[in-house]
Amino acid sequence: MTDRRLGWLLLAPALAVLGGLTVYPALWVIWLSLHYRIPVFSISRWAGLDHYAFLAVDPRFWSAAWVTAVFAVVSVALECALGLAIALGLRGQRRARRVALGLLLLAWALPSVVTAKMFEWLYHPAGGLVNFMLGGRLINWLGDPALALPALIGADVWRSSPFVALLCYARLLTIPGELYEAAHVDGAAGWQSFARITWPLVRPLLLVALLFRTLDALRAFDIMFVLTGGGPAGSTETLTVYAYRSLFQTLQVGFGSAIGVVVFALVMLVAVAYLRLIDAEERPA
Amino acid sequence: MIPGPGRSVVSLGRPTLLLLLALGLLSSGCGERPAAGAPVTLVFKHAKILGPSDPVPGLLRRFEAEHPGVRVVSEALTWSSDEQHQFYVINLEGGTPPFDVMMLDVIWVPEFARAGWILELTPFVPPAEIDAHFPSAIEPARENGRLWALPWFMNVGLLYYRSDLLARYGFAPPRTYDALVEQVRHIRARESDARLDGYLWQGKQYEGGMVNVLEALWANGARLLDDAGRPFPDRERARESLAFLRGLIESGISPAWVTAADEELTRRPFGDGRAIFLRSWPYALDLFELPDSRVRGKVGVTALPRLAHGPVGAASTGGAHLAVSAGSRHPALAVELVRFLTSEAAQRAMTEGAALRPSRPALYHDPALVARDPSLPALLGLTERGHPRPITPYYLMLSTTLQPEFSAVLVGRKSPERAIADASVQIDHLRRAIRP
Amino acid sequence: MRSGRRRDGLVLVALALYAAPFFWQALTSLRPDAELLPLTHLWPSRLTLVHYDAVLRQSMMPRALLNSFGIALLSTALAVGLGALAAYALARLPVPGRRVILLGMIAATAFPQIATVSPLYLLLRALGLRDTWLALVLADASFTLPLVIWLLAGFIREIPRALEEAGAVDGAGRLGVLRWVVLPLVAPGMASAGLLAFLFSWNEFLFAYSFTASEASRTVPVALALFPGVFEVPWGDIAAASLLASLPPIVIVVAFQRYLVRGLLAGALRE
């Protein structure tokens, strides 16, 4: 058997599975979004671009888009900053590195539902640790529309920073200590060696982390759905939650698919934009 | 250098993979299947019954005694109405749901009927039996003129008040909301308890919150939909109602946490004596009259007040109905169970044991029941004045579209005008999808 | 040296504080009901196992744990099994368009689940697979398989060609080289990819929530999200259930950390 044929043979099962589970649904969801489709009532007819035309003027869609954007931008910014800080703190660690990494990665590895329930309890007005630490004030973190989104972002930053920290930490480990020693000998202050040595070497990796985290934040569903359900009053309802409610609560499969397609396009756009950016970064080097 | 067969590391070859896949396929069929020749088992899905005692097991045993060879298995639903609905939809959509008789919130009956998930009951129930229930309980259970479920117990929105506090200051139960607000201010100014709340109601973003908003709309003579199904025909009055509800929170008549409160979260503070007025369902009365209740003997019920343009007592009716799943393997027997549980004898047992009210008007004057609960005759009048929420198969879709908008008004994120406008846009989109 | 030890200790304390939410949840799971609401003291007067008892005896969790375990294992097996073969083909064999295919794999890992959930729902419903293990095994594979292929293709490429050529010289065909040279060498990479696939499958929520209907196939995250509470939320029981739900992730982080880290870094650093 030729190498080529063997290659196809080995590739075929995976391609078949993925074709059926990823490519086909990706095309189908676009098809669905062009229909009025409510299976429960056997409603199924052509809608053309009506759903998209509606989304353009739908106040709930724009509210969800805004929440998604704020969530993504703020979460990712905080995660990258915190992740880098943790990595810098970890860099000099000699003893018990596995324990240190373990404590850090725990937050990342937990199921998002566990994290959501955990923070729901932490934020509880009467029984929560957060209010206890703040001196027993009865702040309604998840019930106040002004506080719910920051609270949600806090939970997401907690569980996602370790990923960024790990990436930066791995990078920092590859920077030879001699560079810092040389800079120290030359009389450079701490922040100078950070700016001249650390930052340029860590920056490309931070960009990659930014890419991954942004894509994840745009697609995030579990944590806001379980923590707040999108409430109160839609203050934490992202596009994914809106899509889910349309699909499985009001059973509007056509309309919900349209929102899903929008999220899809958004994610792909951001991915392409970031990849271009990363490419441009790497070229001069 | 090259590892031989005896030393290869774990690598999942294809045979192993196929075996594992086969195992997966086999285990996917693992579900409950009744053994052939076993006694007929009916599965009855219902939510937990609140109150001093649970009459359902006793009733089911009585049914089993009257039908030898039949076993009725009780399965619990989750507590929240929205989750129950989700559960039903997910299971009934699949085609062969593993239950025979279901307890449904009345608002779901037209939807389930239109979707073909429940059995039509008209051929099985004589007209006399149908007429024995409240019309406002039967009407929502009809779809296309046919009957699809029988009422099991009845609910109506009530205003609870602290009779001792009102008596102390010479107040009669308020007939208008303005009067209610005045009474709250008056009483709170003179009572020493600084943390006494004024008026508690359910403002959380869920079906119960929707009920509260609808009652406020109706109290001002506004409807949600007109006869053609168009939203908010009385826009200005609807706006006033929403502004009123938001005003209750802004002025402190109602505490801010009502926007996250459901029935139980409001019943408990009132039951601990920490509020003057409460809007709730009849079940709370039984719990307030328990021997260890702090407000025992101090609670009265009356009709919901009115706003400027509406009637007094514009309460929402509700309650649970029983229906037979269209995929049931024993439809005739399941219908028998439904008729048994909704019969006069069963409803009497339920009223005696649990915090429930019957859907049969005749029982409200039953001497034995009235002796235990003297408020029954008054409740009859209040129930007859209430009316159901919009009867349409699309009610849930409507409600879940409107809930976030109303919730936004209650928490102060949107003005009533904006919310009504935004809600109308969304409902119009829904209507375009629904009508052919 | 002492300042180094002290510094290391401080870092460990800081990280322990970072993980404090988890430890708090663990403490909550052992706290008696009466001391949950309102919170008056950090430390409970006594520890109790009543929540674990309730969760293990009266809730859906034991069945959910079984479901999750089975589904995650099967899904991982599927992903690694098919993925290893496909990765080898993409990495070493002259398949036409393999660069595009590999790019497609990477793109597939970025597909938002919310977009594919509705067609997958309809598809699984049409195939009669609702509320079965197979449905979730397949659904999970839709995002773990491309991930595994991407990771393994990279790991395979790192193997020096000389080793494979030596195998070829010794008379083994392509498949033989794959079986006796490549796979053993990439086994640690497969472990990393498999652990990541298992973890993602265990943690997966959206598909599980949408495709399961009863305890026949409900996984742990869904059981946790749907934890029943009659009037008040049973925070202690939920905490206990959360701890149980976290067992495999904890085991992976503690016992298989090396593989986990390698997998995470490989995915990110190979840009």
Side-chain angles (χ1 to χ4, degrees):
Chain A
M1 183 187 308
T2 63
D3 273 357
R4 234 170 91 147
R5 201 176 302 161
L6 178 65
W8 275 120
L9 204 64
L10 293 178
L11 201 48
L15 280 185
V17 168
L18 282 179
L21 296 175
T22 327
V23 176
Y24 182 42
L27 296 170
W28 195 359
V29 74
I30 301 177
W31 178 248
L32 282 172
S33 73
L34 300 173
H35 289 75
Y36 290 118
R37 184 95 185 251
I38 307 179
V40 170
F41 300 123
S42 307
I43 294 177
S44 178
R45 61 180 206 283
W46 181 253
L49 294 174
D50 194 53
H51 289 312
Y52 295 103
F54 171 66
L55 284 178
V57 297
D58 178 12
R60 195 167 166 190
F61 171 76
W62 288 107
S63 167
W66 174 248
V67 171
T68 308
V70 170
F71 174 77
V73 170
V74 176
S75 282
V76 176
L78 289 176
E79 281 154 21
C80 287
L82 184 58
L84 182 58
I86 293 175
L88 289 171
L90 257 185
R91 177 180 42 183
Q93 192 77 358
R94 262 185 248 290
R95 285 171 200 75
R97 261 197 283 201
R98 269 194 56 174
V99 176
L101 273 181
L103 286 171
L104 190 61
L105 286 175
L106 191 62
W108 173 84
L110 291 177
S112 46
V113 180
V114 167
T115 307
K117 286 295 184 191
M118 207 163 70
F119 273 89
E120 199 185 346
W121 180 233
L122 284 171
Y123 286 136
H124 195 279
L129 188 59
V130 174
N131 279 350
F132 185 80
M133 290 299 192
L134 291 174
R137 294 201 212 152
L138 283 174
I139 306 179
N140 191 358
W141 293 100
L142 299 178
D144 186 335
L147 294 176
L149 188 55
L152 171 67
I153 290 176
D156 193 59
V157 169
W158 180 82
R159 78 172 173 135
S160 302
S161 301
F163 175 71
V164 182
L166 182 69
L167 253 56
C168 294
Y169 176 61
R171 191 61 160 115
L172 291 175
L173 283 183
T174 66
I175 303 177
E178 295 89 55
L179 282 176
Y180 293 105
E181 284 166 23
H184 189 69
V185 160
D186 283 348
W191 69 266
Q192 275 179 322
S193 53
F194 174 80
R196 296 270 172 76
I197 305 175
T198 316
W199 179 246
L201 290 172
V202 142
R203 206 175 92 139
L205 207 59
L206 215 49
L207 265 174
V208 173
L210 210 76
L211 167 67
F212 275 108
R213 287 303 321 145
T214 307
L215 293 182
D216 275 348
L218 290 173
R219 299 181 284 172
F221 171 78
D222 308 359
I223 198 163
M224 49 278 287
F225 186 71
V226 178
L227 187 63
T228 58
S235 55
T236 56
E237 186 177 75
T238 52
L239 288 172
T240 47
V241 175
Y242 185 23
Y244 189 82
R245 290 215 179 279
S246 303
L247 284 171
F248 291 101
Q249 208 179 25
T250 57
L251 310 165
Q252 296 174 271
V253 175
F255 180 57
S257 296
I259 307 177
V261 169
V262 170
V263 175
F264 203 154
L266 187 62
V267 165
M268 289 295 140
L269 261 160
V270 169
V272 167
Y274 262 120
L275 286 174
R276 289 258 172 87
L277 192 66
I278 292 177
D279 249 0
E281 283 278 322
E282 282 177 3
R283 221 170 286 132
Chain B
M1 196 170 66
I2 302 166
R7 285 164 53 200
S8 75
V9 186
V10 171
S11 56
L12 288 164
R14 261 182 274 196
T16 324
L17 187 64
L18 284 171
L19 178 62
L20 285 166
L21 269 179
L23 276 174
L25 275 165
L26 281 175
S27 57
S28 71
C30 276
E32 313 308 323
R33 281 210 189 90
V40 170
T41 306
L42 290 180
V43 178
F44 175 34
K45 201 94 189 154
H46 66 102
K48 183 162 161 48
I49 303 293
L50 287 172
S53 71
D54 186 355
V56 174
L59 287 171
L60 295 180
R61 300 294 86 77
R62 224 199 296 174
F63 182 81
E64 286 173 348
E66 288 174 19
H67 294 82
V70 176
R71 220 170 57 106
V72 184
V73 168
S74 206
E75 271 180 23
L77 281 170
T78 48
W79 167 244
S80 105
S81 170
D82 295 311
E83 274 175 26
Q84 292 168 8
H85 179 259
Q86 186 89 344
F87 168 83
Y88 275 135
V89 167
I90 287 178
N91 276 281
L92 293 166
E93 247 256 301
T96 48
F99 38 81
D100 302 282
V101 175
M102 333 185 269
M103 172 182 132
L104 302 179
D105 194 332
V106 62
I107 49 177
W108 309 332
V109 177
E111 174 190 346
F112 286 21
R114 179 73 67 88
W117 294 338
I118 51 182
L119 208 62
E120 187 195 339
L121 295 182
T122 346
F124 298 97
V125 184
E129 193 173 323
I130 300 178
D131 291 339
H133 295 275
F134 282 108
S136 56
I138 291 292
E139 272 321 298
R142 283 194 195 278
E143 162 55 19
N144 230 344
R146 307 191 285 201
L147 186 69
W148 298 88
L150 279 177
W152 195 25
F153 57 84
M154 191 68 175
N155 265 334
V156 66
L158 301 170
L159 182 71
Y160 287 80
Y161 60 92
R162 287 280 300 279
S163 46
D164 60 325
L165 287 177
L166 261 60
R168 190 179 304 169
Y169 296 95
F171 287 133
R175 291 177 67 73
T176 68
Y177 273 109
D178 285 341
L180 183 147
V181 169
E182 259 319 296
Q183 291 182 10
V184 167
R185 290 215 173 98
H186 191 98
I187 295 176
R188 273 164 71 166
R190 285 157 187 75
E191 283 289 310
S192 51
D193 184 2
R195 289 176 52 216
L196 186 68
D197 284 322
Y199 177 35
L200 299 181
W201 42 282
Q202 297 83 43
K204 183 177 167 185
Q205 183 176 323
Y206 77 126
E207 181 55 32
M210 185 70 178
V211 167
N212 276 251
V213 170
L214 279 176
E215 286 173 345
L217 289 178
W218 297 337
N220 205 26
R223 289 166 298 163
L224 185 66
L225 304 170
D226 66 8
D227 295 324
R230 284 183 296 247
F232 297 111
D234 321 288
R235 216 157 259 235
E236 181 48 31
R237 292 187 184 179
R239 193 204 62 77
E240 284 171 7
S241 296
L242 286 173
F244 165 72
L245 287 178
R246 173 64 190 156
L248 285 175
I249 299 170
E250 279 176 349
S251 59
I253 301 288
S254 299
W257 54 261
V258 296
T259 61
D262 61 5
E263 283 88 351
E264 279 299 284
L265 277 173
T266 47
R267 173 185 75 78
R268 276 155 194 271
F270 187 87
D272 288 340
R274 299 209 306 267
I276 308 173
F277 292 102
L278 166 73
R279 180 258 164 230
S280 193
W281 308 103
Y283 84 102
L285 191 58
D286 281 2
L287 298 173
F288 294 149
E289 294 302 322
L290 284 177
D292 58 349
S293 162
R294 249 184 258 182
V295 293
R296 184 173 154 86
K298 301 185 197 169
V299 175
V301 286
T302 184
L304 290 177
R306 65 181 185 86
L307 286 170
H309 304 288
V312 176
S316 169
T317 55
H321 283 49
L322 294 180
V324 174
S325 146
S328 167
R329 271 183 233 133
H330 313 283
L333 209 50
V335 175
E336 289 256 344
L337 180 59
V338 167
R339 292 181 64 199
F340 172 78
L341 287 171
T342 57
S343 66
E344 193 182 302
Q347 289 207 6
R348 174 174 293 141
M350 286 187 34
T351 312
E352 280 172 1
L356 292 171
R357 299 295 179 281
S359 61
R360 291 165 172 269
L363 286 176
Y364 285 74
H365 288 293
D366 182 278
L369 292 178
V370 174
R372 293 176 84 257
D373 181 3
S375 70
L376 271 180
L379 214 53
L380 177 65
L382 293 173
T383 310
E384 280 168 344
R385 281 216 281 221
H387 53 95
R389 283 156 274 179
I391 303 171
T392 155
Y394 312 109
Y395 176 74
L396 247 301
M397 294 174 74
L398 210 63
S399 178
T400 49
T401 305
L402 288 167
Q403 281 171 31
E405 299 299 329
F406 290 152
S407 179
V409 175
L410 295 181
V411 299
R413 248 168 89 91
K414 268 193 196 182
S415 70
E417 303 82 46
R418 263 300 295 291
I420 291 175
D422 289 350
S424 302
V425 168
Q426 294 178 57
I427 293 183
D428 281 335
H429 179 249
L430 205 65
R431 288 173 63 233
R432 270 205 304 280
I434 291 171
R435 60 194 54 237
Chain C
M1 262 315 109
R2 202 189 294 154
S3 76
R5 195 187 299 161
R6 204 173 66 153
R7 188 187 174 281
D8 281 2
L10 279 176
V11 168
L12 277 179
V13 168
L15 286 173
L17 282 176
Y18 191 84
F22 179 74
F23 296 129
W24 180 249
Q25 194 74 330
L27 186 62
T28 303
S29 70
L30 298 168
R31 191 183 279 258
D33 263 326
E35 302 184 31
L36 282 172
L37 274 170
L39 187 64
T40 46
H41 296 92
L42 263 185
W43 280 104
S45 61
R46 61 185 174 91
L47 298 177
T48 170
L49 287 175
V50 68
H51 300 302
Y52 285 98
D53 184 77
V55 169
L56 288 171
R57 294 240 220 107
Q58 296 159 24
S59 80
M60 224 196 329
M61 280 304 278
R63 178 65 204 236
L65 285 165
L66 175 71
N67 289 338
S68 270
F69 218 75
I71 290 170
L73 273 176
L74 289 172
S75 150
T76 303
L78 182 66
V80 174
L82 294 188
L85 302 175
Y88 181 68
L90 288 175
R92 285 290 189 242
L93 296 176
V95 176
R98 63 186 178 149
R99 267 205 72 210
V100 172
I101 295 178
L102 200 54
L103 232 81
M105 295 289 171
I106 300 177
T109 62
F111 277 16
Q113 282 184 289
I114 193 68
T116 49
V117 69
S118 49
L120 276 178
Y121 178 76
L122 293 175
L123 178 66
L124 292 169
R125 196 170 71 121
L127 292 174
L129 288 178
R130 270 186 69 254
D131 212 21
T132 62
W133 280 23
L134 186 58
L136 283 182
V137 168
L138 291 175
D140 289 350
S142 74
F143 60 88
T144 54
L145 184 54
L147 178 71
V148 168
I149 293 177
W150 178 26
L151 286 177
L152 288 184
F155 286 133
I156 290 175
R157 282 214 206 94
E158 284 171 8
I159 298 174
R161 279 194 183 267
L163 285 175
E164 292 178 56
E165 282 158 17
V169 162
D170 278 353
R174 273 295 196 177
L175 273 180
V177 167
L178 170 62
R179 181 127 154 68
W180 302 122
V181 178
V182 176
L183 282 183
L185 287 172
V186 87
M190 279 169 61
S192 292
L195 280 172
L196 278 178
F198 185 90
L199 198 58
F200 285 150
S201 180
W202 181 270
N203 293 354
E204 203 284 319
F205 177 68
L206 175 53
F207 287 153
Y209 193 66
S210 314
F211 301 154
T212 63
S214 74
E215 65 167 29
S217 69
R218 278 232 170 98
T219 57
V220 158
V222 179
L224 192 55
L226 290 176
F227 211 83
V230 182
F231 312 132
E232 284 134 352
V233 184
W235 292 109
D237 292 354
I238 289 181
S242 300
L243 264 286
L244 290 174
S246 310
L247 281 177
I250 294 175
V251 166
I252 290 178
V253 166
V254 168
F256 300 108
Q257 199 184 99
R258 194 158 49 100
Y259 295 103
L260 176 68
V261 168
R262 190 160 177 237
L264 282 176
L265 291 177
L269 291 174
R270 199 169 310 113
E271 265 306 306

